[in-house]
Amino acid sequence: KKKKEAVYELISTNFLKIVTDIHSCFENYEQHDDTLLNVLQSQYYGFLHTIIKKKLQDVFTDEKNISYLQTMIEQLVQGINGEEELHIKNISTCLNILKLLTKCWYNKLDGFNAEFICTTFLPSSYSVPLREDFDINDNDLFNLLQSYSSIQQEIIKTIGDEAINYMCTQLLPSVLPSNNDEINQGILNQYSIKVIQMKWMDFTTLYHQILTY
């Protein structure tokens, strides 16, 4: 326990300086070297992920660091939206972080409520799979699709009916392009059943069918 407290204090004290220095590097590489920028982003997301996996996420809400929290969430959401060139490892790490934060902070952190999670995280889980270059037959992209499904699973398990209602009545209708209401309603009904029954393998396949419909 004392060791964990010491580690917490060390990270918490230096967290803001570390992320500020990283962002300075982001700005230096952004216009010049995409490869180095990708590596740096990977290390940044990995740093955040490690903090959470070690159950030290209170570092983010410590009074010394709370001013950075909104920026961090915005960057993670931007991370799961993907770049022009998909960096699968970075996207997967961002998805895992947001999934863990949903589990840790739902209704425990001010403002981290159902409305915020549903309207901020869920729409972003559709952005990359909707891209024309997203190929379900590519193993890496199929695994990434499962990661996108996974954050939806966690949100539904954590929040419950409010998340299901938002997905099925607001989010999905906004991404179904067909003007055929009967077909759309059939898809929505199938989707709702898979979500409610938590048949996630079927859910993942149907999810892709919906996005490419």
Side-chain angles (χ1 to χ4, degrees):
K1 186 177 179 181
K2 288 183 178 179
K3 183 178 179 181
K4 184 175 181 179
E5 289 175 353
V7 171
Y8 174 90
E9 189 59 33
L10 178 65
I11 295 175
S12 183
T13 300
N14 293 282
F15 177 77
L16 205 55
K17 183 181 186 307
I18 292 171
V19 295
T20 300
D21 289 345
I22 289 173
H23 282 290
S24 296
C25 294
F26 281 166
E27 293 172 5
N28 291 334
Y29 290 128
E30 198 164 18
Q31 302 299 325
H32 304 289
D33 194 323
D34 289 342
T35 301
L36 284 175
L37 178 62
N38 179 45
V39 170
L40 188 61
Q41 287 175 331
S42 179
Q43 292 175 341
Y44 168 67
Y45 296 137
F47 173 58
L48 299 180
H49 194 211
T50 300
I51 290 174
I52 300 170
K53 285 179 68 177
K54 297 298 183 182
K55 302 186 184 303
L56 296 170
Q57 63 272 5
D58 287 350
V59 163
F60 304 140
T61 56
D62 189 289
E63 62 180 6
K64 296 187 290 292
N65 305 317
I66 190 70
S67 61
Y68 182 72
L69 183 60
Q70 182 176 347
T71 298
M72 185 184 83
I73 295 295
E74 288 173 354
Q75 288 173 337
L76 292 170
V77 171
Q78 184 179 352
I80 69 173
N81 281 326
E83 305 287 342
E84 183 176 347
E85 180 182 351
L86 291 179
H87 300 295
I88 293 174
K89 180 182 177 182
N90 288 353
I91 295 173
S92 295
T93 304
C94 290
L95 285 166
N96 283 328
I97 292 171
L98 291 176
K99 185 172 76 170
L100 290 169
L101 290 181
T102 296
K103 190 174 183 178
C104 293
W105 286 350
Y106 172 60
N107 276 349
K108 295 177 183 176
L109 182 67
D110 186 36
F112 217 81
N113 52 31
E115 181 181 5
F116 172 77
I117 293 170
C118 288
T119 59
T120 305
F121 298 171
L122 285 177
S124 295
S125 69
Y126 283 76
S127 58
V128 170
L130 273 171
R131 289 170 50 149
E132 293 182 0
D133 59 350
F134 194 93
D135 182 5
I136 188 66
N137 296 312
D138 182 295
N139 286 336
D140 289 336
L141 291 180
F142 181 76
N143 290 335
L144 183 60
L145 179 66
Q146 290 182 310
S147 294
Y148 278 108
S149 296
S150 180
I151 191 173
Q152 294 190 2
Q153 295 169 31
E154 184 59 52
I155 289 171
I156 290 167
K157 289 177 183 177
T158 302
I159 296 176
D161 290 345
E162 190 170 348
I164 294 173
N165 182 63
Y166 175 79
M167 291 172 73
C168 296
T169 64
Q170 297 187 55
L171 183 55
L172 260 180
S174 72
V175 300
L176 287 173
S178 173
N179 292 323
N180 190 320
D181 291 337
E182 184 176 346
I183 293 176
N184 280 356
Q185 191 58 53
I187 293 174
L188 288 170
N189 288 342
Q190 290 183 60
Y191 185 86
S192 301
I193 290 169
K194 301 301 182 188
V195 170
I196 292 168
Q197 292 179 345
M198 294 189 180
K199 292 184 176 179
W200 298 119
M201 289 303 294
D202 293 340
F203 170 82
T204 300
T205 304
L206 181 61
Y207 174 42
H208 183 259
Q209 291 173 349
I210 289 168
L211 294 177
T212 56
Y213 174 66

